[in-house]
Amino acid sequence: MARTESNMLALGTVAPEFSLMDTVSEKTMNLHSMNGEVGTLIMFICNHCPFVIHVNPEIVKMAKEFQSKGIQFIAISSNDVEKYPEDAPHFMRIKAKAENYTFPYLYDEDQTVAKAYDAACTPDFFLFDNELKLVYRGQLDDSRPGNGSPLTGIDLRNAMENLIHGKEISAIQKPSIGCNIKWK
């Protein structure tokens, strides 16, 4: 299991627009039509990564909690499905249903969206405000597969709570760590 850190895109960066297929609804969705009232969390994930499998329960829990508070959750998989067929769209649909995702799970087939966001790993989290300006990029929390730290989502939770309540989000943010995106 390779350990790759996120690239830490500059805070204040405006979210690049995209149109991608949602593997659950099989409809093309674009960022501006999904933008949350308070903010938008874009997560680069995949099906097979042990780091994503580890954090999936907390992602689902947080989505159920924060979507009702105006934070839109969007998951994107950009992995090369020729080399990693378990990340193909039909398996993404199965995974989304099995995990009870309450958010779109989009397929970035040509990897242009991952490149536009400078995404590096799975999971990689990007929280934008309601003007789609980046306010947080970093880890969910300190928990990793096998390290014994409890899965709490504290880092990302704090950022979302501060965004909701109009409080400053600290610029001191720890990068996410996970498997590298499987580039073509």
Side-chain angles (χ1 to χ4, degrees), residues 32-169:
H32 281 84
S33 68
M34 295 184 286
N35 187 21
E37 183 180 323
V38 174
T40 302
L41 177 68
I42 297 176
M43 307 171 283
F44 288 87
I45 65 172
C46 69
N47 290 349
H48 84 276
C49 171
F51 292 90
V52 175
I53 292 167
H54 177 72
V55 300
N56 257 332
E58 188 62 23
I59 289 171
V60 170
K61 182 179 176 183
M62 290 172 69
K64 289 177 182 170
E65 178 182 346
F66 286 96
Q67 285 175 315
S68 65
K69 297 177 180 179
I71 306 280
Q72 172 66 47
F73 279 56
I74 301 169
I76 301 172
S77 179
S78 301
N79 278 356
D80 176 359
V81 298
E82 288 186 28
K83 293 181 187 151
Y84 296 86
E86 60 269 41
D87 290 332
H90 63 283
F91 289 123
M92 291 170 62
R93 182 179 319 109
I94 292 167
K95 183 71 161 181
K97 290 179 179 181
E99 296 288 341
N100 294 312
Y101 287 174
T102 58
F103 45 83
Y105 192 12
L106 310 177
Y107 178 48
D108 179 22
E109 181 175 11
D110 64 8
Q111 301 180 319
T112 57
V113 177
K115 290 174 184 170
Y117 282 77
D118 203 18
C121 60
T122 55
D124 214 346
F125 300 98
F126 299 85
L127 178 63
F128 297 88
D129 65 16
N130 62 357
E131 295 178 354
L132 290 174
K133 291 182 183 170
L134 186 65
V135 296
Y136 180 86
R137 77 291 191 243
Q139 69 176 8
L140 184 74
D141 59 29
D142 288 326
S143 184
R144 307 286 184 266
N147 77 353
S149 292
L151 188 61
T152 64
I154 191 70
D155 294 48
L156 184 55
R157 277 180 180 282
N158 285 342
M160 288 191 291
E161 285 290 348
N162 285 347
L163 180 60
I164 289 165
H165 298 294
K167 295 180 181 175
E168 186 176 339
I169 298 170

